[in-house]
Amino acid sequence: MTRKRQARMLGILIRRADWVTAGTLADQLGVTPRSVRSYVTAINERVAGAVESGSMGYRATPRAESVDLAEADPERGTRHDRIRALIRGLLDSPDGGVDVFEAALEMHVSSDTVESDLRRIRGMLEGTELVFARDAAVVTLEGTELARRRFLSRVVHDELDEGVSGAESLRRSAGQLGIDATSFATIGGELVDGLTSAGYAVNDLAAGDVVLHIAIASGRVARGHALPRSDDSVDDDRSRVAAVIDGIASRHLGTRLGEGDLAHLASLVMLSIVDPDAAGARAVDPDIESAVAAAVARASRTYGVELDGADLVPRLARHVQNLVQRAAEQLSARNPMTRSLKAASPLVFEMAVAVAGDLSTALGVMIPDDEITGIAMHLGTALEVDQQEIPKLTAAIVCPGPDEMRRQLRSSVTRSLGHEIDVTEVQSRYEPDWGGFETDLVLTTIDPPVRVAGGPERVVRVTPFLASRDVARVAEAANRVRRHRRLGSLRAEMERWFVPEAYLRGVGALTPEDVIRRLGSALIADGTIDQAYVDSAIERERLSSTAFTESLAVPHAMTMSASRTAIAIAVDEQAIAWGDERVHVVALVAFSESDRVAFQTVFEQFVDVFADPENARRIARRGADLPSFLTELAALIDEG
């Protein structure tokens, strides 16, 4: 547990790439700040200077990427390592089994301890095609070679450093299970380059998992466990991909793979890395295309957005067909964009969850978060045109001095920032009427007064000859103004959304389902929703966690059947375990069909407020009741 918490903490620090307070880390890990300090010390003992500390908390340095958290485990060599050794024995021993008494002698433990470890492994086999068989003291695994490889891949992914994704984490986990992982990075790069050279468009987010399968295959073949040659014909695409894999395995793993292994690995590459739109005109199963069309149409109606791009359904159907085949192959990979996309584009992710839920029912396949992210990418592409139609902000330029200098400055602003702002006024006076500007931004080459009408966030000091740092400051100010307006609309309307009786504190000991039921009961009593809405919210939570940031969960139903849009709130100073996150604020949102337009406003802007975990900690600490919660929420919005 200590190693996993250290890994999770390091993952948070690397992901945030900024200072994080000890309190925030303690909340996310479910420990005390003192434990956080001990974790930092242990990590820095492995790699000096991996985590730096200061008055603002802790921050990961570039050295953090090289920390081997497996070696930081004080319990290393105990049960965790025994289970790894037993798995290797079950998969690799010449006679195909593990003798309980011999294993106990080798590991210097009792036979009862080995039996307990084997029971743990038996539980890990759930959902695989492998089963335990026993002859006296000898335990063996029964199942196909392909099932053994899939199980080994699953164990590697389960062993990944918690909270840390990426090739380095995958390499460590694979190495700890006896898989040759020394050349993972090189193999991944060569695989992507080889596919690109062969004329394929690639998505290298899943390259690491395919590299893992290549390494597993090479190790199994070296031990005499090759896949048999299939009677199925191999098309030209798979033949070309197989040739790329053959060369890589020979050069970097010292293994010549047979036709059966190459054909299987080529199929995995086609399913995971090669863009299905560029891999030949393979027909899509009509049932899959029909299910995709129905799911997209329903999401479009539910969320009131246009998702009827001419190529969206065929393109998404090809993706889903590969997804279904990946599920059959038990081929999975962590998508490094899942967390960031979920927080940055919650509405897009939510639509993807709705589509995934319908597809799961129609096609009988479970769709995890990382695959939902892939669906969200397709939906987000279809929405891109709408997202780009953001109104420009207006700007005034204050630039006393020669007229030619003003013209040059205006021209430079238009050239560098014309996609974001329109210059509608140019002021040459040294003492203009600062309160008279009606533009969104004021760009000035002279110092403005300390107090400016409309707030200092709209005034940007620039040099007369626009420099790159000036462009960056103006762009940042434009983003501030837009965010302030978005949150301003939330502030203006939020009081009508909250139900006074639906405000709970001290729910940290409850499960997510219990919290949803408690909040749902308050909204039922208010007449806003019925029990079916609560049940739908719980079902939605099972599809994918609604923890959209490190501090906020927004559970809700898959339908908009509430009598009005309303929000029930639960807060706790001690973070609430919610999926893989620990949150301080839970907002059960009930949406009505007549208030569909509010969905995007409530959803995205509420998530935006709590993008900073410190905001949630502050509001949980000070929000003793709903009025004080709203006061703090308003203050956070104004400060934002």
Side-chain angles (χ1 to χ4, degrees):
M1 180 61 75
T2 299
R3 180 184 70 87
K4 284 187 175 293
R5 282 176 174 160
Q6 289 179 17
R8 181 172 173 80
M9 184 186 76
L10 193 61
I12 293 170
L13 292 172
I14 291 173
R15 186 171 64 249
R16 294 284 296 279
D18 201 353
W19 293 102
V20 184
T21 66
T24 294
L25 290 170
D27 286 337
Q28 294 298 309
L29 301 172
V31 298
T32 65
R34 182 177 179 179
S35 294
V36 170
R37 290 193 293 273
S38 70
Y39 296 163
V40 171
T41 300
I43 289 171
N44 283 337
E45 285 176 353
R46 304 310 306 168
V47 175
V51 177
E52 62 179 325
S53 59
S55 59
M56 294 182 288
Y58 300 100
R59 180 171 64 180
T61 71
R63 296 180 181 181
E65 296 283 357
S66 63
V67 176
D68 187 345
L69 288 161
E71 296 183 5
D73 188 359
E75 298 180 350
R76 186 171 172 80
T78 58
R79 187 180 194 190
H80 194 66
D81 283 323
R82 291 197 309 271
I83 288 175
R84 289 176 184 159
L86 289 170
I87 289 173
R88 291 197 297 269
L90 289 167
L91 292 173
D92 297 336
S93 61
D95 56 1
V98 169
D99 186 297
V100 172
F101 296 109
E102 290 182 4
L105 288 172
E106 290 175 2
M107 292 188 274
H108 307 288
V109 295
S110 69
S111 59
D112 287 342
T113 298
V114 175
E115 294 281 11
S116 175
D117 293 339
L118 288 170
R119 285 194 293 272
R120 174 73 176 272
I121 295 173
R122 185 194 295 271
M124 296 166 66
L125 296 176
E126 184 177 353
T128 73
E129 298 171 1
L130 298 175
V131 295
F132 264 3
R134 185 156 190 161
D135 183 6
V138 178
V139 178
T140 58
L141 283 181
E142 291 187 350
T144 65
E145 171 60 21
L146 193 55
R148 292 168 187 268
R149 296 184 185 188
R150 289 170 176 167
F151 173 62
L152 190 52
S153 173
R154 175 196 282 191
V155 173
V156 170
H157 280 285
D158 288 345
E159 292 274 309
L160 287 176
D161 294 335
E162 187 177 348
V164 183
S165 61
E168 180 62 20
S169 182
L170 188 70
R171 183 194 66 76
R172 290 174 188 158
S173 180
Q176 292 155 17
L177 282 159
I179 300 167
D180 185 356
T182 55
S183 302
F184 267 28
T186 303
I187 293 173
E190 285 197 18
L191 179 61
V192 171
D193 291 344
L195 294 171
T196 303
S197 298
Y200 295 107
V202 299
N203 176 1
D204 62 356
L205 290 176
D209 194 56
V210 174
V211 170
L212 170 63
H213 280 271
I214 293 173
I216 290 174
S218 295
R220 298 294 292 170
V221 168
R223 294 177 176 85
H225 304 295
L227 291 179
R229 178 179 177 178
S230 173
D231 293 332
D232 297 335
S233 60
V234 178
D235 58 29
D236 291 341
D237 282 321
R238 282 165 177 74
S239 294
R240 286 193 291 271
V241 172
V244 174
I245 297 170
D246 189 24
I248 289 174
S250 177
R251 285 192 301 276
H252 296 289
L253 298 169
T255 306
R256 294 310 302 264
L257 300 174
E259 292 184 16
D261 285 285
L262 288 173
H264 177 66
L265 291 171
S267 294
L268 298 187
V269 169
M270 298 298 292
L271 289 175
S272 298
I273 303 179
V274 173
D275 185 344
D277 293 331
R282 294 197 301 275
V284 176
D285 185 327
D287 291 339
I288 290 179
E289 186 159 8
S290 175
V292 168
V296 168
R298 184 179 178 204
S300 181
R301 291 193 303 271
T302 300
Y303 297 102
V305 297
E306 294 295 330
L307 287 173
D308 56 356
D311 66 337
L312 173 61
V313 169
R315 179 163 44 84
L316 183 55
R318 287 190 289 272
H319 174 84
V320 171
Q321 180 163 275
N322 277 8
L323 184 158
V324 171
Q325 293 173 359
R326 283 196 296 273
E329 292 285 350
Q330 299 179 26
L331 182 64
S332 62
R334 289 188 178 183
N335 189 325
M337 296 184 65
T338 297
R339 187 188 296 267
S340 59
L341 190 149
K342 196 172 183 180
S345 304
L347 178 62
V348 175
F349 191 86
E350 192 57 32
M351 289 188 291
V353 171
V355 169
D358 286 351
L359 292 176
S360 181
T361 301
L363 304 176
V365 59
M366 292 297 296
I367 303 179
D369 267 14
D370 291 318
E371 294 285 13
I372 291 174
T373 301
I375 294 173
M377 290 176 177
H378 284 275
L379 299 182
T381 301
L383 290 168
E384 184 177 5
V385 174
D386 290 338
Q387 292 174 348
Q388 288 179 345
E389 294 176 357
I390 300 173
K392 293 182 181 180
L393 299 179
T394 58
I397 291 178
V398 177
C399 181
D403 187 57
E404 178 60 29
M405 186 172 68
R406 279 190 295 278
R407 285 199 298 267
Q408 181 177 333
L409 178 58
R410 179 172 188 166
S411 175
S412 297
V413 169
T414 301
R415 183 172 60 253
S416 301
L417 296 156
H419 60 290
E420 289 199 67
I421 64 175
D422 273 333
V423 177
T424 58
E425 182 178 353
V426 178
Q427 177 62 255
S428 62
R429 294 178 57 189
Y430 183 77
E431 294 183 353
D433 178 10
W434 294 98
F437 292 113
E438 296 181 354
T439 55
D440 301 310
L441 295 170
V442 178
L443 315 183
T444 174
T445 61
I446 60 176
D447 290 330
V450 175
R451 294 185 178 180
V452 182
E457 70 278 351
R458 65 191 284 257
V459 179
V460 185
R461 182 73 157 79
V462 298
T463 58
F465 310 103
L466 198 69
S468 58
R469 62 180 179 276
D470 297 319
V471 174
R473 282 200 297 267
V474 174
E476 183 180 344
N479 287 333
R480 278 201 310 270
V481 169
R482 288 194 176 97
R483 182 173 187 269
H484 192 74
R485 286 183 178 177
R486 289 196 308 269
L487 297 181
S489 64
L490 175 64
R491 187 187 192 287
E493 298 186 23
M494 63 184 182
E495 290 192 19
R496 70 182 180 91
W497 291 331
F498 292 94
V499 177
E501 294 77 18
Y503 186 83
L504 305 177
R505 284 190 63 87
V507 296
L510 301 179
T511 66
E513 183 172 327
D514 290 337
V515 175
I516 292 172
R517 291 193 185 281
R518 289 274 300 275
L519 292 174
S521 295
L523 293 183
I524 290 174
D526 182 66
T528 301
I529 60 174
D530 56 17
Q531 185 59 44
Y533 192 96
V534 177
D535 294 339
S536 178
I538 292 171
E539 181 60 30
R540 161 63 186 84
E541 196 66 40
R542 290 169 181 164
L543 289 174
S544 174
S545 169
T546 56
F548 284 89
T549 73
E550 294 175 357
S551 56
L552 171 72
V554 191
H556 55 278
M558 299 288 287
T559 60
M560 297 188 180
S561 57
S563 62
R564 68 181 182 92
T565 295
I567 303 176
I569 294 290
V571 298
D572 202 309
E573 290 188 61
Q574 301 300 316
I576 306 162
W578 202 277
D580 293 332
E581 303 289 355
R582 295 180 65 83
V583 303
H584 282 285
V585 180
V586 180
L588 175 63
V589 184
F591 294 103
S592 69
E593 181 68 24
S594 61
D595 218 2
R596 230 176 17 178
V597 176
F599 181 85
Q600 182 170 355
T601 302
V602 176
F603 209 65
E604 294 194 335
Q605 295 176 6
F606 207 69
V607 171
D608 195 11
V609 171
F610 292 102
D612 184 349
E614 292 301 320
N615 288 351
R617 283 168 51 80
R618 167 178 157 180
I619 209 166
R621 185 170 61 254
R622 301 180 183 179
D625 50 26
L626 183 58
S628 58
F629 174 89
L630 292 176
T631 298
E632 289 301 321
L633 182 58
L636 288 173
I637 291 172
D638 290 341
E639 292 169 10

